[in-house]
Amino acid sequence: MADSVDIDLYENIEEGFDQDGEFETDADLYNDVIISQPSGDDEKEGSDEPKKNTIPPTSVPAGYTGRRYSVYVGNLQWWTTDQDLTDALASIGVNDLLEIKFYENRANGQSKGFAIVIVKSEMSSRAIFDKLPRKELHGQVPMVTHCNKQALNNFEAQARKGEPPPQQNGRQRTDSRGDNQRAAAPPTAPPAVRPPQPAIRPQAPFAPQSSGPVPNMSRPPPTQGPPPQSGPPPNFFPGGMPPVSMPQMSMGPGLPGQPRPMGGPPPGMPPRGIPDPRLPPPGMRPGMPPAPALYPVRGQLPPQPVPPPGIRGMVPIIQGRPGFMPGMPGQPPPGMPPPGHPVVAPAPHVNPAFFPGTHPAVLQPPPVSHAPPTSDPYGRPPPVAGYPAPDPYRQERRPEPVAPALTEQEFEEIFQRNKTVSSSAISRAVQDASAGDFASAIETLVTAISLIKQSKIANDDRCKILISSLQDTLHGIEEKSYGSKHSKTEISDARSRERRSRSRDRDREREKRSRHRSRSREREYRERSREREPRREYDERHAREPRSDSRRDSEREREREREYRSSRH
Amino acid sequence: MATHARHGSGWPVKRHPSSESHAASNEQKPGSPRLINLYPLTNYTFGTKDPLYEKDASVPARFQRMRDEFDKYGMRRSVEGVLIVHEHGLPHVLLLQLGTTFFKLPGGELRQDEDQILGLKRLLTETLGRQDGAAMEWTVEETIGNWWRPNFDPPQYPYVPAHITRPKEHKKLFLVQLPEKALFAVPRNYKLVAAPLFELYDNSTGYGPIISTLPQTLSRFDFNYN
């Protein structure tokens, strides 16, 4: 009989059976990938013909010196992987793929639905242009464009608005607010997820459902998820929200976990666009009634034309409410419960129209189509369960677009613009000055300085550097202009004046900086966002440390630390 | 068919007796949080030892090494230990402070094919172990978190984003139960601080997403304040 050999299958378990250990979970998930990784040959581009096409390359091999041809591929679902894209390209006949890099939301890592694809040959890139749009990836037709800024902006905008809201919870909303025409833009706060949104960030308006972000809800409303998703993708809710999705959305988030299914008259909701988390579908959802008290929006929100921009955006709204912290590590706002259950029910659908900040409109029934970004309406409405009016959600507080809310992308854009402005201004001014036309040179510089100061990121240290270099040039030219007017004997005076003015300038800089610092420190305390802007950390650090006299040295050290820290984090 | 008579329930049989060997208070049913014993900070002595420098001199160097190693060995596996003490009835997490503003948990990278728990113990001993080489008693309780880095960039997330098939780094956090008394030697280039949970809570700008969410992660445990 088999047992004669008494095999004890478990005889080595004495030490305890550690389910977690031994890399098992990793192995489960990444078996194919990881196990084949160590061999390393998969990664080498071109080294292993058979494998090459199966592993999506993530970075151009270090030794590659050939030409690179890049294209943007967009209009993808946020769950479309690099493997999917690689396979699709392979089926088109593109075998010289170098790299695929997705654009993601930094705050939560979600894909923005577009990527840059780099291939080795122009033929491949042409093939991509021609044939890829004929294929379908997860129900969507990829859009292929050349790599230029315009296309990038388009994709970014698309990501913010329609496509599953890439934005993360509200925190980033402010920036989108600035950009989106859609007033409601605020990031697609997790559509529908609203109520317990906080965790839900789900972008795709439907996503919430499927992604089940509903943290509050005991479980993700998967029910709604899948169906809506495939349907009119959250992208672009034309004129508001795709009714189709809406109904679902409302049902979804609300349903699971919520004591009362939001089910409400979804149809009604749709027009409202993504139900603002805060706005409990006015009367639509059952159970909402109590909510209304909580959510400012109660009323019928007139269908906001705004497509659910980032669901996340919605989240912030909730915040206003009972301390709902959308972005926060998931905790459904304790405040919510006041009504006894996550009242949040507000339209499970993310009401695109209601993005944090834009809500103000939400409050009143008349949907002011793009509610002004101020989040006052929501600013912690009293009903809020007293969630510590967390500042973390900037939206609330910020009436002005506020720089901190900028996405990195925008920040970079603005910064590049400023840099260009300043360098061209300096060169023009120097030219003018050498030609003797000091007045126009000075004017050029002054204009440039004020332009930069007015920009959203004027507080950033890099911009301050730009401004100070402009000012130095300005002073130099001024001095020169005075010097040339007066006799040459005054040149030495001019020079010493220059020196003095420069040091004055530096002092002024320091003062300005400390002012900025204290201002930003305040803001820091008020808003705690997940956005890891180096500036913020830098400021924070500055705030913590007293300004030392050897500013430069400590500054260098701080730069290093900041870089270190921000990269670590 | 005849089954092994002694294996009544089947699987895993020997587990129960061994799990009993944990503190007697650990008689929870599966699923209920473990009881963790915390001892006051004063029970521990902290000495110093030679500096332990990081492998990478700068941030770009760090990512460059990550890229190179990824090509050779695949995803980097890191482990970090959460060591907890208590003061005033509140758990404090031990963190290593680098410079003035940068904090990290003790731990590091595993070698290829190295076991996670053993690797963590090795790293803890390297970082905080006594200079005289005496054995340290690290009791690695359980995994309390997983974080993945989808690209060669700073952001890490507690999940793998849907569009990522090959994360570049996987970091596992373990709860480490400290012995009742111990001597730690802290490398001179670090400071060891005990951060109370409220200091970390909601402070991701100060500590990053992983450390600042430790209070939530640890909330499921029952702590026994000795």
Side-chain angles (χ1 to χ4, degrees):
Chain A
M1 226 219 337
D3 278 355
S4 58
V5 174
D6 208 356
I7 301 169
D8 183 351
L9 294 172
Y10 303 112
E11 77 182 292
N12 292 329
I13 300 194
E14 279 85 6
E15 306 322 306
F17 191 85
D18 184 1
Q19 311 256 0
D20 298 346
E22 312 316 312
F23 211 39
E24 278 160 31
T25 45
D26 304 338
D28 290 345
L29 288 173
Y30 302 112
N31 236 333
D32 307 340
V33 179
I34 292 183
I35 292 184
S36 64
Q37 281 314 2
S39 65
D41 51 3
D42 301 334
E43 313 273 352
K44 300 294 186 281
E45 190 64 45
S47 62
D48 239 8
E49 221 19 73
K51 294 271 194 119
K52 190 147 61 110
N53 287 339
T54 57
I55 304 282
T58 44
S59 58
V60 180
Y64 186 68
T65 46
R67 280 217 60 182
R68 302 166 192 211
Y69 297 87
S70 358
V71 291
Y72 286 148
V73 179
N75 198 35
L76 303 169
Q77 298 278 21
W78 55 263
W79 58 87
T80 301
T81 70
D82 47 0
Q83 186 69 59
D84 294 337
L85 212 44
T86 306
D87 295 342
L89 290 172
S91 72
I92 293 185
V94 173
N95 294 325
D96 55 359
L97 187 54
L98 266 186
E99 180 178 344
I100 294 181
K101 172 160 164 42
F102 277 88
Y103 286 81
E104 304 162 357
N105 290 320
R106 192 189 165 103
N108 66 354
Q110 188 199 29
S111 156
K112 284 184 178 172
F114 65 100
I116 179 169
V117 174
I118 307 185
V119 291
K120 288 190 200 162
S121 69
E122 192 186 349
M123 194 175 61
S124 294
S125 89
R126 229 166 325 144
I128 298 179
F129 266 103
D130 297 334
K131 305 195 203 134
L132 194 59
R134 307 222 193 106
K135 299 212 135 255
E136 221 184 52
L137 285 166
H138 294 291
Q140 301 227 102
V141 173
M143 169 159 46
V144 186
T145 70
H146 287 288
C147 284
N148 54 44
K149 196 132 172 38
Q150 183 60 28
L152 187 66
N153 290 341
N154 289 344
F155 283 131
E156 291 275 354
Q158 182 182 1
R160 265 182 250 126
K161 298 176 205 177
E163 221 102 293
Q167 259 77 18
Q168 30 296 24
N169 32 329
R171 273 196 264 131
Q172 289 225 357
R173 278 310 71 97
T174 49
D175 54 337
S176 48
R177 225 177 315 142
D179 312 348
N180 267 352
Q181 324 66 357
R182 79 182 43 214
T188 51
V193 206
R194 273 346 119 70
Q197 284 47 8
I200 309 220
R201 280 195 279 192
Q203 291 53 26
F206 305 90
Q209 274 89 4
S210 40
S211 38
V214 184
N216 279 347
M217 314 263 190
S218 27
R219 48 202 141 155
T223 51
Q224 298 326 39
Q229 259 37 350
S230 41
N235 345 317
F236 323 106
F237 285 77
M241 337 316 162
V244 175
S245 43
M246 287 312 189
Q248 278 159 336
M249 301 262 230
S250 33
M251 297 295 179
L255 281 178
Q258 280 212 330
R260 326 162 263 191
M262 304 281 241
M269 294 314 296
R272 270 222 317 206
I274 310 262
D276 190 24
R278 290 192 285 166
L279 313 172
M284 305 267 215
R285 305 203 175 193
M288 282 311 195
L294 291 180
Y295 300 88
V297 224
R298 269 0 103 146
Q300 15 330 202
L301 297 151
Q304 312 272 352
V306 160
I311 303 291
R312 283 289 190 93
M314 305 297 292
V315 179
I317 300 192
I318 303 272
Q319 291 211 339
R321 312 201 122 234
F324 204 86
M325 294 238 247
M328 281 330 217
Q331 334 336 333
M336 303 294 245
H341 48 218
V343 152
V344 201
H349 306 295
V350 172
N351 191 342
F354 297 100
F355 295 109
T358 50
H359 303 307
V362 173
L363 285 185
Q364 318 100 16
V368 232
S369 34
H370 300 297
T374 57
S375 40
D376 289 343
Y378 278 4
R380 322 307 157 76
V384 177
Y387 186 87
D391 318 289
Y393 302 83
R394 294 196 261 187
Q395 276 76 16
E396 270 94 24
R397 232 151 297 195
R398 223 180 303 172
E400 71 296 347
V402 187
L406 282 180
T407 59
E408 275 169 87
Q409 156 101 11
E410 290 173 5
F411 181 87
E412 279 310 313
E413 278 176 42
I414 297 183
F415 181 66
Q416 288 307 320
R417 224 181 311 146
N418 287 349
K419 215 170 16 154
T420 321
V421 162
S422 99
S423 60
S424 64
I426 291 184
S427 55
R428 194 160 353 130
V430 166
Q431 251 179 345
D432 287 344
S434 56
D437 187 2
F438 296 110
S440 77
I442 292 177
E443 191 181 305
T444 311
L445 289 173
V446 167
T447 315
I449 292 178
S450 62
L451 264 175
I452 297 183
K453 283 197 182 156
Q454 281 167 17
S455 78
K456 287 189 192 172
I457 55 173
N459 279 347
D460 181 75
D461 292 308
R462 288 183 276 175
C463 278
K464 290 195 207 151
I465 294 177
L466 289 180
I467 294 177
S468 76
S469 64
L470 279 169
Q471 281 171 339
D472 281 346
T473 320
L474 181 62
H475 286 296
I477 293 186
E478 277 176 353
E479 297 302 336
K480 223 193 299 185
S481 81
Y482 297 151
S484 71
K485 289 204 204 118
H486 306 313
S487 74
K488 293 234 166 91
T489 56
E490 307 232 16
I491 287 188
S492 59
D493 288 349
R495 259 192 243 124
S496 65
R497 236 178 297 143
E498 239 182 272
R499 255 178 272 127
R500 253 182 288 129
S501 77
R502 239 182 257 128
S503 69
R504 241 183 297 133
D505 215 26
R506 261 182 244 121
D507 284 287
R508 240 176 285 140
E509 271 295 323
R510 266 194 227 122
E511 290 170 10
K512 233 190 302 169
R513 221 175 268 246
S514 75
R515 244 183 298 127
H516 285 310
R517 237 178 289 153
S518 60
R519 238 184 288 132
S520 58
R521 206 181 323 162
E522 283 176 1
R523 227 179 292 137
E524 193 75 58
Y525 289 141
R526 270 195 268 124
E527 341 141 345
R528 210 77 81 95
S529 85
R530 271 210 301 165
E531 182 143 44
R532 294 182 220 110
E533 264 201 29
R535 179 182 67 84
R536 186 156 324 171
E537 296 178 354
Y538 183 63
D539 279 344
E540 188 185 305
R541 210 160 5 107
H542 273 289
R544 287 206 228 137
E545 298 174 0
R547 232 177 338 113
S548 68
D549 286 334
S550 58
R551 189 159 61 107
R552 294 226 189 76
D553 291 335
S554 52
E555 182 152 329
R556 251 178 273 136
E557 182 200 320
R558 263 182 246 130
E559 283 286 335
R560 216 178 347 111
E561 279 185 21
R562 163 166 63 104
E563 212 192 33
Y564 207 54
R565 187 150 66 98
S566 67
S567 74
R568 281 312 186 93
H569 295 169
Chain B
M1 61 203 43
T3 49
H4 303 301
R6 56 194 170 100
H7 301 313
S9 59
W11 172 90
V13 161
K14 305 231 173 108
R15 187 161 186 205
H16 304 305
S18 66
S19 67
E20 252 28 308
S21 64
H22 277 293
S25 39
N26 273 0
E27 15 152 293
Q28 320 71 331
K29 327 142 228 175
S32 59
R34 305 277 290 270
L35 183 75
I36 306 293
N37 284 304
L38 301 186
Y39 302 98
L41 182 57
T42 47
N43 278 24
Y44 303 100
T45 6
F46 300 98
T48 58
K49 67 181 182 192
D50 295 332
L52 182 67
Y53 294 110
E54 300 230 322
K55 284 194 202 167
D56 307 293
S58 69
V59 168
R62 196 162 147 251
F63 286 113
Q64 190 52 47
R65 179 171 71 90
M66 204 185 288
R67 282 176 189 268
D68 299 338
E69 292 184 354
F70 186 77
D71 287 340
K72 277 197 287 197
Y73 307 117
M75 182 176 76
R76 174 181 289 185
R77 302 182 299 146
S78 306
V79 287
E80 291 187 347
V82 178
L83 282 59
I84 315 181
V85 298
H86 83 83
E87 259 204 324
H88 320 302
L90 185 72
H92 288 51
V93 176
L94 296 186
L95 299 175
L96 293 167
Q97 182 177 14
L98 199 61
T100 45
T101 51
F102 183 68
F103 296 87
K104 62 177 209 173
L105 288 166
E109 301 159 32
L110 292 179
R111 303 193 184 122
Q112 251 216 315
D113 301 330
E114 186 177 19
D115 171 67
Q116 290 176 315
I117 313 270
L118 293 178
L120 177 63
K121 293 189 181 179
R122 166 184 70 86
L123 289 160
L124 288 174
T125 308
E126 260 175 35
T127 316
L128 294 173
R130 297 154 53 149
Q131 203 148 23
D132 57 7
M136 299 284 296
E137 211 184 299
W138 306 111
T139 310
V140 179
E141 284 280 331
E142 57 184 90
T143 305
I144 56 175
N146 284 293
W147 291 77
W148 285 271
R149 187 190 301 274
N151 302 309
F152 295 113
D153 286 323
Q156 295 176 80
Y157 306 101
Y159 43 80
V160 182
H163 65 287
I164 297 288
T165 48
R166 296 187 305 169
K168 308 299 176 286
E169 180 179 352
H170 174 207
K171 184 179 291 196
K172 228 172 166 66
L173 299 181
F174 290 92
L175 177 60
V176 176
Q177 168 102 64
L178 293 175
E180 187 180 346
K181 291 191 195 294
L183 163 68
F184 298 117
V186 183
R188 247 175 273 279
N189 56 326
Y190 287 108
K191 286 195 282 264
L192 187 67
V193 301
L197 292 186
F198 61 78
E199 163 72 13
L200 306 178
Y201 182 66
D202 203 16
N203 197 353
S204 95
T205 37
Y207 297 94
I210 301 180
I211 297 178
S212 67
T213 51
L214 282 178
Q216 287 89 324
T217 312
L218 297 172
S219 66
R220 68 186 188 94
F221 292 103
D222 293 328
F223 291 115
N224 183 19
Y225 300 92
N226 292 295

